Amino acid sequence: MLTAQLIAALLLALSPRLWRLRQRYDEAALAPITDAPHANPGDESLKQQLAAWLADGAGNGATALPWAHPAAPVPLSCARAPACTASAVRHFGYRLAGYHQLDERSRLGGMAYRIGVQLRPVLWFLPRRADEPWDDAWLADVDETRLAALARWVPRRPTLIVLDNPAAGLAARVMAALDHAAQHGDHPVRLLILGDDTTKLPLAVRALKPSR
């Protein structure tokens, strides 16, 4: 009887979070980094800048109560980097998303890793680990359909979006589309704009510089 009561109490405590188990990667809005296991891992200085930028204002993902929303002091932040850093950024993003964990594990180990990642959001009281994977996106071609999907998208976990060499005016449109995620999501979103034409980007966009 006591065991049944404990199980019932546990399920009741977890119930506000159980819906998160149904969340999936939104392929209409995002496109994953899938071809970077052998990308150039160089430029450690740039990767340190990326890591610091991601963490700045991201919060720790933990809440005192299961129905509370985790606080992200800076829900949306944008940065820019030169086009020449694309390979190093791709390597960084690939590992940030945890894909290397699947490459380095057996099929069974990979399944166990995926299950652990999926179950993690249910445990509301645990702070985000430094090696916890983020969702990722590498957007090279953004059409009107993807822009509309981004404007509806709500992140299921912290997310890095890389906008690769956007056409004139596109970066500002993507930034505007992500306002919905910033206002309605529980997780930080970071938009990195790769390209050399940054003349029309807002001054608030942080500049990340490669090492010389």
Side-chain angles (χ1 to χ4, degrees), residues 134-147:
W134 285 42
D135 270 345
D136 65 301
W138 191 283
L139 304 182
D141 297 306
V142 179
D143 56 17
E144 295 298 326
T145 300
R146 192 174 294 279
L147 268 174

Side-chain angles (χ1 to χ4, degrees), residues 14-82:
L14 293 177
S15 60
R17 290 269 173 156
L18 291 179
W19 66 272
R20 294 174 183 268
L21 297 178
R22 301 181 59 186
Q23 290 181 302
R24 295 294 181 267
Y25 185 90
D26 188 346
E27 294 184 352
L30 310 176
I33 300 173
T34 58
D35 57 349
H38 305 298
N40 180 7
D43 204 340
E44 291 300 321
S45 173
L46 175 68
K47 290 193 283 187
Q48 289 173 9
Q49 292 177 65
L50 284 167
W53 167 59
L54 294 182
D56 186 13
N60 66 11
T63 61
L65 299 171
W67 53 82
H69 295 277
V74 182
L76 174 63
S77 180
C78 303
R80 56 185 172 87

Side-chain angles (χ1 to χ4, degrees), residues 2 7-8 24 28 39 41 53 58 75-76 78 109 111 123 135 137-138 146 149 168 174 188 191 194 196 201 211:
L2 182 59
I7 293 174
R24 295 294 181 267
W53 167 59
L76 174 63
C78 303
M111 291 177 60
L123 304 177
D135 270 345
W138 191 283
R146 192 174 294 279
V174 171
L191 175 66
L194 286 182
D196 299 319
L201 294 179
S211 58

